[in-house]
Amino acid sequence: MTASNRVVVATAFGGPEVLQLIDVPAVEPGPGNVVVDVRAAGINPIDWKTYAEGPGTDRSRLPLRLGFEVAGVVSAVGPSVRWLAEGDEVIAWRVHGGYADRLEVSELVTVRRPAELGWAAASGLMLTGATAVHTLTASNVRTGDVVLVHGGSGGVGRMIVQLAELRGAAVVATASPHAHDDLRALGAIPVEYGPGLVERVRAAAPSPVTVAIDTVGTDEALDTSVELVADRSRIVSIAGFGRGPSLGIQLLGGGPGADPGTAVREAARAQLVDLAADGVLDVRVARTYPLDQVADAHREGRGGHPGGKLVLLP
């Protein structure tokens, strides 16, 4: 093991300019933990939201390490580890500080990386996939449903589209026109967002919409959902935390008043790995960046519509 370890930290609250790559001492695994040599670290919107400037930012938490999911190789094993050995290839989620050369994690947050899933795709599977499973479970999507997915071309949206269809639902997904072919290939009916969305969805859907899943949090997404879906308990949002409570819809994830769905999301790990290994679940990687270009990666992600997962390669 090398004498140092590069990690990305946010040295202040703000934009990507606050990110720095620093050296820290080498990590050694404690009881029940392993060290993972990171081959790829998935980037997610929560990463830049973590260091965004805003009310209540606590500067005593600085510097902040970033990254919640990685894929890599176990390089050291601590006492009391039961299932892993050096050389094992794993996916780890949820972790803290995954933007790093190597990382100490509990073996309990790991699953084996299937050989069919490349490193970059493996690092982008869990957070989006588990979130998608949570939305479908909370809205009770089943055979015969017509599901409207707002933001169908995003990382979470693409997972929802695929997993909803595996449950026997028809899917209508909003996206920019450039993403429509991809959504059709996944089996969804794409529609462009913007004025007239309600009418376009009604015209495109094979029958009335029974479930709406919002991944974007716009007024358009929320208004369209409540107009089209009669049962508001079957409208869920992972982004509409401002208006959600007044609309009587379900809020999921890490926002104020939201259901984190911890048990559901953690239980999804094995299912997601199996589906990805079987080629049933597609993880699209839009672009990879070296660790020292993390600020550029975040600028692209914050700009929206990267067309798939952004991944760091240490």
Side-chain angles (χ1 to χ4, degrees):
M1 190 174 297
T2 61
S4 66
N5 177 27
R6 298 182 306 159
V7 304
V8 172
V9 297
T11 58
F13 292 101
E17 70 280 354
V18 306
L19 300 180
Q20 290 187 15
L21 187 62
I22 65 172
D23 285 333
V24 298
V27 287
E28 299 290 345
N33 293 349
V34 299
V35 172
V36 174
D37 285 358
V38 178
R39 295 290 187 267
I43 295 173
N44 296 282
I46 187 60
D47 296 340
W48 52 81
K49 292 176 182 177
T50 299
Y51 63 87
E53 186 71 73
T57 49
D58 180 3
R59 284 169 172 75
S60 68
R61 297 167 52 222
L62 298 171
L64 289 169
R65 288 188 59 174
L66 307 175
F68 292 104
E69 58 181 341
V70 302
V73 180
V74 174
S75 60
V77 176
S80 305
V81 169
R82 299 176 59 187
W83 303 296
L84 295 177
E86 290 185 23
D88 285 345
E89 298 181 354
V90 297
I91 301 170
W93 172 81
R94 178 174 181 159
V95 303
H96 174 69
Y99 292 6
D101 288 323
R102 54 193 57 84
L103 181 70
E104 181 187 14
V105 304
S106 166
E107 72 168 340
L108 299 178
V109 304
T110 67
V111 292
R112 306 276 180 171
R113 179 185 77 98
E116 299 84 356
L117 203 58
W119 289 115
S123 76
L125 172 65
M126 285 298 166
L127 195 151
T128 56
T131 301
V133 170
H134 188 197
T135 66
L136 296 168
T137 302
S139 56
N140 192 26
V141 170
R142 53 192 182 270
T143 299
D145 275 322
V146 176
V147 180
L148 172 61
V149 181
H150 296 283
S153 63
V156 175
R158 289 184 88 253
M159 289 288 185
I160 294 170
V161 167
Q162 296 174 80
L163 292 170
E165 291 187 342
L166 288 174
R167 293 187 177 211
V171 180
V172 179
T174 70
S176 298
H178 69 81
H180 285 191
D181 286 345
D182 176 54
L183 288 171
R184 288 190 191 97
L186 296 177
I189 302 167
V191 295
E192 185 176 2
Y193 49 76
L197 178 59
V198 170
E199 291 73 19
R200 286 195 297 280
V201 172
R202 283 194 174 121
S207 58
V209 175
T210 55
V211 175
I213 301 176
D214 164 40
T215 72
V216 294
T218 62
D219 286 339
E220 176 186 71
L222 296 172
D223 292 340
T224 300
S225 297
V226 299
E227 184 164 347
L228 292 175
V229 179
D231 183 354
R232 296 199 180 185
S233 72
R234 304 196 78 195
I235 302 173
V236 302
S237 177
I238 62 171
F241 303 115
R243 293 182 57 204
S246 66
L247 295 174
I249 66 175
Q250 293 195 67
L251 298 173
L252 310 179
D259 169 19
T262 303
V264 172
R265 295 183 184 218
E266 290 184 353
R269 285 190 180 99
Q271 174 196 6
L272 293 167
V273 167
D274 288 344
L275 290 172
D278 290 343
V280 176
L281 197 59
D282 174 62
V283 183
R284 169 172 281 193
V285 176
R287 220 160 340 277
T288 63
Y289 287 85
L291 200 59
D292 59 5
Q293 292 180 19
V294 59
D296 291 335
H298 276 212
R299 289 186 186 100
E300 179 176 5
R302 286 159 60 104
H305 310 296
K309 290 291 296 188
L310 300 176
V311 175
L312 293 173
L313 302 179

